[in-house]
């Protein structure tokens, strides 16, 4: 993706999020220089726990068809997980555009609640994993939606209206997109490492590669290694 496109998506996404009454934390608005200074001082956690802007086209170069806007608001660490205490949770705010697909994937460790916070309908296509972790094309799918079991056929579509959510365990393959408009999506999960815990059906990447055609408005989490060291 071009940096100019990323900058534009940041601006329009921030406006959409605010229009639903959700305000991002202060570090969302730090310039790259401020981010650099602060992570070298009192705010190393933002870099180390990969908090912040995360805009991905999964490396395929067609963001409006295949892509996702995310902002990681909070996330614990492996140290927390090993100790079994401290910040054992993560929160993200995301946006799926109408018919903008987040491709079929599952996680080895992450259990996530995916919450429709407003806008259109969120559609999820769901499969169970077989004993090898592959997509089971025939097994029925059973998931909890706001504490209530829902049964679907393999590949069934679960539609979540604003206010509804689903709990996805690691054995559930999922793809999702907006229907009838953009959807503001919340995600509440256990500690999450997006560098290692996304298994995609197709051979695609989790992060975009960026072409620098203008300066970044804000850094993406995928910029931290190269920009912040
Ligand atoms: Fe997921």
């Amino acid at each position: 993706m071009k940096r100019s496109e990323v900058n534009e998506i940041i601006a329009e996404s921030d406006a959409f999020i605010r229009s639903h009454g959700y305000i991002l934390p202060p570090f969302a608005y730090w310039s790259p220089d401020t981010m650099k200074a602060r992570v070298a001082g009192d705010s190393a956690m933002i870099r180390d726990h990969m908090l912040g802007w995360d805009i991905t086209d999964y490396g395929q170069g067609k963001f409006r068809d295949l892509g996702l806007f995310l902002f990681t608001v909070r996330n614990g660490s492996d140290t927390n997980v090993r100790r079994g205490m401290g910040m054992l949770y993560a929160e993200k705010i995301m946006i799926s555009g109408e018919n903008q697909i987040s491709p079929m994937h599952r996680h080895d460790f992450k259990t996530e609640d995916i919450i429709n916070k407003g806008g259109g309908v969120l559609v999820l296509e769901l499969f169970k994993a077989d004993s090898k972790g592959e997509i089971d094309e025939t097994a029925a799918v059973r998931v909890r939606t706001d504490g209530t079991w829902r049964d679907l056929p393999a590949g069934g579509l679960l539609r979540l209206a604003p206010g509804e959510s689903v709990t996805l365990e690691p054995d559930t393959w999922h793809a999702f997109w907006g229907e009838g408009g953009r959807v503001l999506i919340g995600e509440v999960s256990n500690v999450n490492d997006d560098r290692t815990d996304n298994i995609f059906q197709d051979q695609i990447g989790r992060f975009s590669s960026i072409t620098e055609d203008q300066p970044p408005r804000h850094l993406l989490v995928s910029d931290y290694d190269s920009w912040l060291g």
Side-chain angles (χ1 to χ4, degrees):
M1 297 175 82
K2 288 184 180 167
R3 182 68 72 177
S4 54
E5 193 187 352
V6 170
N7 286 342
E8 228 169 78
I9 293 164
I10 284 177
E12 70 179 37
S13 300
D14 184 49
F16 183 69
I17 291 167
R18 282 172 181 270
S19 77
H20 287 273
Y22 189 107
I23 314 283
L24 294 172
F27 68 84
Y29 304 103
W30 290 352
S31 68
D33 285 345
T34 301
M35 183 64 84
K36 198 166 187 171
R38 295 296 291 269
V39 302
D42 59 0
S43 305
M45 181 185 188
I46 292 166
R47 176 196 57 210
D48 298 344
H49 293 216
M50 292 182 75
L51 312 184
W53 303 95
D54 180 4
I55 292 159
T56 184
D57 65 354
Y58 302 92
Q60 305 302 297
K62 42 181 182 175
F63 176 77
R64 303 284 164 191
D65 298 323
L66 185 77
L68 184 63
F69 167 91
L70 310 93
F71 187 100
T72 300
V73 183
R74 66 199 84 244
N75 191 15
S77 67
D78 280 349
T79 307
N80 296 132
V81 174
R82 277 196 300 275
R83 291 175 65 209
M85 57 196 296
M87 190 182 271
L88 292 166
Y89 47 87
E91 179 194 359
K92 291 178 183 171
I93 191 86
M94 313 190 289
I95 301 169
S96 272
E98 184 164 16
N99 297 319
Q100 183 187 33
I101 292 171
S102 285
M104 187 60 71
H105 69 283
R106 67 171 179 82
H107 311 284
D108 274 336
F109 300 106
K110 182 169 69 164
T111 293
E112 54 190 353
D113 276 18
I114 301 291
I115 309 147
N116 185 335
K117 296 269 191 189
V121 171
L122 181 64
V123 186
L124 296 101
E125 183 183 10
L126 301 174
F127 289 94
K128 279 291 163 197
D130 64 19
S131 57
K132 291 181 189 144
E134 307 288 326
I135 289 177
D136 190 323
E137 302 277 357
T138 56
V141 176
R142 179 160 236 232
V143 287
R144 279 201 186 91
T145 53
D146 302 297
T148 299
W149 288 116
R150 290 272 286 270
D151 293 300
L152 297 159
L157 300 183
L158 177 66
R159 287 187 162 78
L160 299 177
E164 293 187 300
S165 74
V166 62
T167 303
L168 298 174
E169 304 276 351
D171 65 346
T172 306
W173 284 89
H174 49 286
F176 56 89
W177 59 89
E179 185 179 76
R182 282 207 275 193
V183 188
L184 185 66
I185 305 164
E187 179 183 306
V188 173
S189 75
N190 53 312
V191 173
N192 161 230
D193 188 343
D194 274 323
R195 290 166 297 199
T196 55
D197 195 22
N198 289 281
I199 297 129
F200 291 101
Q201 178 184 23
D202 297 326
Q203 291 285 12
I204 53 175
R206 167 62 179 78
F207 297 105
S208 306
S209 58
I210 306 291
T211 306
E212 303 293 348
D213 63 335
Q214 63 177 226
R217 183 187 294 254
H218 306 296
L219 296 181
L220 303 178
V221 295
S222 50
D223 292 323
Y224 290 170
D225 280 350
S226 52
W227 288 71
L228 303 177

